[in-house]
Amino acid sequence: MNVTIYDVAREANVSMATVSRVVNGNPNVKPATRKKVLEVIERLGYRPNAVARGLASKKTTTVGVIIPDISNPFFAELARGIEDIATMYKYNIILSNSDQNKDKELHLLNTMLGKQVDGIVFMGGNISEEHVTEFKRSPAPIVLAGSLEDSEQVPSVNIDYEQATYDAVNTFIEKGHKRIAMVIGPFHEPINKEKKLVGYQKALEAAGIPVDEALVVEGDYTYDSGIEAFDKLIELPEKPTAIYVGSDEMAVGVVHGAQDKGYSVPDDFEVISSDNTRISLMVRPQLTTVIQPLYDIGAVAMRLLTKFMNKEKVSEHTVVLPHRIELRSSTK
């Protein structure tokens, strides 16, 4: 049977309130009494009931994290930043995969609120009006990490994706490229159609290079979609000489697709990716990439959430972290 706070109090010959004070680190307990209670706790193997404590304090010190796919290195690095800061502030994590499915995302949101989490960090590619409505109804604060919400009603942490794409494409332009392709994630996600694609177009227009829609290929962030995208680009009458890719996994697919057909990266095609996950260093040639501080995005999102949960003053609800381009072997 589970050992209860009553059992500890009886064995130590103290009140349950005294046991509670010892467990919660309250200094108003005599050292001798504290020592006696801790010895009984150790001997009986007592573990405080987090749910019961949460009901009493109206806090469970638990945070929900809703993530599209923990097996994806992009989200795994974000999650690590979240977890480290959560641990620093003594919060536990409940992590769930949503598979980028809206119904599942909303179901997980309500499930976590039902578990009385103190706050939620949410990651998703397409934040709809329905999402925002549910977020605003939530009794617990919610912060977005690496996810865009157009109205900026929900606190979030990101980089400037439009400017990052502009900078990557401009890197190609400065090298003299004029046929610059873009392999991008799903168009239904605002981060792709309204930010990255716009940055790509603006960079070309600023250089006086016509935008050719045939050079923009939609993928789904996977390795296979990178290979398929390269297959489409290589069939064009006028092939690209440079390719900007919206995720590291797709970029590896593009590089391998080129190599499988006998081409060289970077001699025949220069490639720039956009996440700087560990994958970018594992492939050969190593990927030139937009350095997106994934760990920091997760860490800052969690720290922002702790401020909301503790009702601290928050001066900046929408946080934009810096990015840079790291030149490696996939460009000359």
Side-chain angles (χ1 to χ4, degrees):
M1 294 178 63
N2 290 335
V3 177
T4 68
I5 191 171
Y6 173 78
D7 297 324
V8 175
R10 187 186 64 233
E11 287 288 315
N13 197 28
V14 298
S15 70
M16 288 190 288
T18 297
V19 176
S20 178
R21 281 193 286 270
V22 171
V23 167
N24 290 294
N26 190 310
N28 297 321
V29 181
K30 292 178 181 178
T33 303
R34 182 184 304 279
K35 182 173 182 293
K36 180 170 63 172
V37 170
L38 289 173
E39 287 174 349
V40 172
I41 286 173
E42 178 69 22
R43 177 162 54 82
L44 297 182
Y46 172 65
R47 295 290 179 271
N49 187 320
V51 174
R53 291 168 69 188
L55 290 171
S57 67
K58 295 188 166 68
K59 283 190 174 184
T60 59
T61 61
T62 302
V63 168
V65 179
I66 297 175
I67 190 168
D69 180 8
I70 192 61
S71 68
N72 184 317
F74 178 93
F75 296 114
E77 291 190 32
L78 278 168
R80 183 55 192 261
I82 293 168
E83 205 274 337
D84 282 357
I85 300 303
T87 299
M88 182 185 299
Y89 284 88
K90 296 182 169 39
Y91 284 93
N92 301 307
I93 292 288
I94 300 175
L95 189 149
S96 293
N97 285 282
S98 68
D99 303 317
Q100 295 270 43
N101 179 292
K102 185 178 80 168
D103 290 339
K104 189 172 181 182
E105 287 170 343
L106 296 175
H107 171 72
L108 289 172
L109 176 67
N110 286 308
T111 297
M112 288 187 173
L113 292 175
K115 293 180 182 295
Q116 305 294 310
V117 295
D118 295 336
I120 292 174
V121 180
F122 185 93
M123 286 165 265
N126 191 17
I127 310 297
S128 66
E129 289 184 13
E130 192 173 351
H131 283 93
V132 175
T133 298
E134 290 298 315
F135 293 162
K136 289 167 72 175
R137 287 176 50 197
S138 169
I142 295 174
V143 173
L144 305 179
S147 307
L148 289 178
E149 185 272 304
D150 286 341
S151 68
E152 296 187 356
Q153 296 178 67
V154 185
S156 63
V157 182
N158 291 282
I159 65 166
D160 185 335
Y161 301 104
E162 181 182 319
Q163 186 63 48
T165 304
Y166 183 102
D167 293 344
V169 174
N170 198 53
T171 299
F172 285 141
I173 293 170
E174 290 175 347
K175 291 171 174 288
H177 291 282
K178 296 190 181 303
R179 292 288 291 171
I180 302 169
M182 182 178 191
V183 178
I184 195 170
F187 285 137
H188 66 79
E189 296 182 7
I191 199 169
N192 294 314
K193 191 168 186 178
E194 298 171 17
K195 299 296 181 181
K196 292 183 177 182
L197 182 59
V198 170
Y200 167 81
Q201 293 168 335
K202 283 184 176 179
L204 295 178
E205 289 165 0
I209 300 173
V211 176
D212 182 350
E213 291 183 1
L215 289 173
V216 179
V217 181
E218 182 181 11
D220 62 4
Y221 301 122
T222 63
Y223 173 81
D224 289 342
S225 72
I227 292 177
E228 291 165 6
F230 182 81
D231 289 344
K232 291 178 182 176
L233 292 170
I234 204 65
E235 294 299 321
L236 295 176
E238 194 176 352
K239 297 174 181 57
T241 58
I243 307 170
Y244 174 67
V245 191
S247 79
D248 286 343
E249 193 169 326
M250 284 198 299
V252 175
V254 167
V255 169
H256 286 175
Q259 292 169 341
D260 288 347
K261 287 183 163 49
Y263 294 104
S264 167
V265 176
D267 293 335
D268 297 314
F269 303 95
E270 292 193 62
V271 175
I272 296 180
S273 188
S274 63
D275 295 335
N276 193 44
T277 63
R278 287 184 298 169
I279 289 177
S280 67
L281 296 172
M282 294 176 182
V283 67
R284 295 295 181 272
Q286 292 183 334
L287 295 173
T288 290
T289 185
V290 173
I291 299 288
Q292 185 172 174
L294 300 175
Y295 178 94
D296 293 349
I297 289 174
V300 172
M302 183 62 215
R303 177 65 185 108
L304 186 59
L305 185 63
T306 65
K307 290 183 177 181
F308 285 117
M309 291 188 296
N310 295 319
K311 296 185 169 47
E312 298 175 35
K313 183 178 180 182
V314 176
S315 57
E316 193 176 13
H317 287 219
T318 303
V319 180
V320 179
L321 297 181
H323 67 273
R324 63 184 175 85
I325 308 293
E326 177 81 19
L327 297 175
R328 297 191 185 120
S329 308
S330 66
T331 54
K332 297 179 185 177

